[in-house]
Amino acid sequence: MNTQSNTNAVVVYYFNISSDKIFEAWIDPEKVKKWMFPKGDIQRVEIDGSVGGSFSFVDLREGREIDHRGEYLEIDRPKRLVFTWGIPKESPDAARVIIDIISTKTGCELTLTHELHPEWSDFAPQTEQAWRNMLEAMDEVLT
């Protein structure tokens, strides 16, 4: 029996943009294309932005298509989004990502928690940096 617990990669980011606009940037395919994988080459984005709906974000890396897939588990517009995250062709493991957005006087605070399987815990710092890069790209695209 495996008694190890998940490791959380957590990023907190402050936006001078309303929580509504930030939330929409996660589920609008045209917006996702502009900020997801800023150092990559996003090929396709498909989103069914409803609970039980799925997404597919295909990124081109070193001439290879990487298909990030997930299912929306919880949607509480514009405060919370919870989804699975994985690359089925690479690994059967799927992580869970939780996005919490709190409105502030000048915009909003977003807290992203990526729950990593214990076998992937060594990748927490890289995971945090990757998400931070994407949130910075989102900020640039939306402002």
Side-chain angles (χ1 to χ4, degrees):
M1 184 167 119
N2 186 349
T3 58
Q4 291 180 304
S5 61
N6 288 344
T7 298
N8 290 341
V10 179
V11 178
V12 177
Y13 195 91
Y14 299 90
F15 291 94
N16 291 323
I17 304 165
S18 74
S19 57
D20 290 326
K21 288 183 180 178
I22 296 301
F23 189 91
E24 288 304 314
W26 284 93
I27 58 172
D28 179 322
E30 292 308 311
K31 288 186 174 80
V32 170
K33 284 179 189 176
K34 295 177 181 176
W35 65 265
M36 182 73 64
F37 312 122
K39 294 183 180 175
D41 183 7
I42 198 150
Q43 300 293 299
R44 288 185 309 281
V45 173
E46 297 172 9
I47 297 175
D48 172 358
S50 60
V51 174
S54 62
F55 64 81
S56 169
F57 306 145
V58 179
D59 183 36
L60 189 63
R61 294 186 194 166
E62 299 174 2
R64 224 174 109 225
E65 286 191 348
I66 308 295
D67 189 6
H68 299 79
R69 294 186 162 269
E71 177 185 341
Y72 295 104
L73 305 174
E74 186 179 337
I75 298 175
D76 183 7
R77 193 175 268 120
K79 298 182 280 186
R80 186 171 173 90
L81 185 62
V82 181
F83 52 89
T84 61
W85 179 269
I87 305 171
K89 287 187 178 181
E90 304 279 326
S91 170
D93 295 332
R96 191 168 82 131
V97 177
I98 303 159
I99 309 293
D100 286 308
I101 306 169
I102 300 169
S103 292
T104 65
K105 289 181 181 180
T106 59
C108 65
E109 173 188 303
L110 181 147
T111 301
L112 183 149
T113 305
H114 188 136
E115 298 175 347
L116 296 166
H117 187 277
E119 291 177 22
W120 297 97
S121 64
D122 290 347
F123 291 94
Q126 296 97 313
T127 301
E128 288 174 0
Q129 188 58 55
W131 282 117
R132 188 171 288 106
N133 292 344
M134 286 187 263
L135 294 173
E136 288 171 357
M138 178 191 288
D139 199 2
E140 289 177 23
V141 164
L142 295 178
T143 53

